[in-house]
């Protein structure tokens, strides 16, 4: 089975930066999508950014221009570079991996989550 190990969360001031990493162990589908999702206080888990094994990226409107998702296919690792952080970026960030043939992240594998807190 696939396991996802996340790192990089923490406390940061507004305007600062963090870089999240998520490494997948075990076998994953060759054609896949990896992504980051967050759940803020009192909110649902929403997509932040995704990237396919072919390099296609998608971003939530709220993070466009500030966050960059990337991946290393050899290492099966996905990264999220977060710049110009805002307090509303606060939340638990979850990594996800799924086959491109599965209908959405809910059918994939989730990491344990890493907390990002942005202070004013």
């Amino acid at each position: 089975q696939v396991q996802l190990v996340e790192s990089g969360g923490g406390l940061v001031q507004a305007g600062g930066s963090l870089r999240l990493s998520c490494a997948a162990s075990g076998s994953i589908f060759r054609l896949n999508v990896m992504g980051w999702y967050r759940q803020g206080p009192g909110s649902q888990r929403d997509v932040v950014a995704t990237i396919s094994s072919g390099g296609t990226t998608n971003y939530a409107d709220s993070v466009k221009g500030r966050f960059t998702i990337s991946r290393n296919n050899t290492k099966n690792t996905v990264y999220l570079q977060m710049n110009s952080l805002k307090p509303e970026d606060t939340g638990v960030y979850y990594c996800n991996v799924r086959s491109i043939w599965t209908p959405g992240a809910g059918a994939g594998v989730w990491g344990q989550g890493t907390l990002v807190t942005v202070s004013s």
Side-chain angles (χ1 to χ4, degrees), residues 3-116:
Q3 289 186 308
L4 302 177
V5 179
E6 300 160 328
S7 62
L11 298 169
V12 65
Q13 284 186 294
S17 298
L18 286 173
R19 192 186 194 199
L20 306 182
S21 298
C22 172
S25 62
S27 62
I28 63 173
F29 287 103
R30 180 170 58 86
L31 302 179
N32 62 74
V33 177
M34 300 185 77
W36 292 95
Y37 300 73
R38 74 180 170 211
Q39 186 166 2
S43 67
Q44 64 183 4
R45 188 179 301 183
D46 294 321
V47 64
V48 175
T50 62
I51 183 168
S52 73
S53 50
T56 300
T57 59
N58 288 282
Y59 296 92
D61 288 342
S62 62
V63 306
K64 287 180 179 177
R66 300 188 297 119
F67 291 9
T68 302
I69 190 169
S70 61
R71 63 185 291 162
N72 185 314
N73 288 339
T74 300
K75 296 180 179 180
N76 287 327
T77 300
V78 64
Y79 308 93
L80 186 68
Q81 179 66 47
M82 304 185 292
N83 298 325
S84 301
L85 283 162
K86 303 175 180 179
E88 52 262 44
D89 295 320
T90 293
V92 179
Y93 284 68
Y94 297 89
C95 184
N96 177 274
V97 62
R98 64 173 177 87
S99 166
I100 63 168
W101 303 114
T102 56
V109 177
W110 293 97
Q112 82 286 353
T114 184
L115 178 63
V116 172

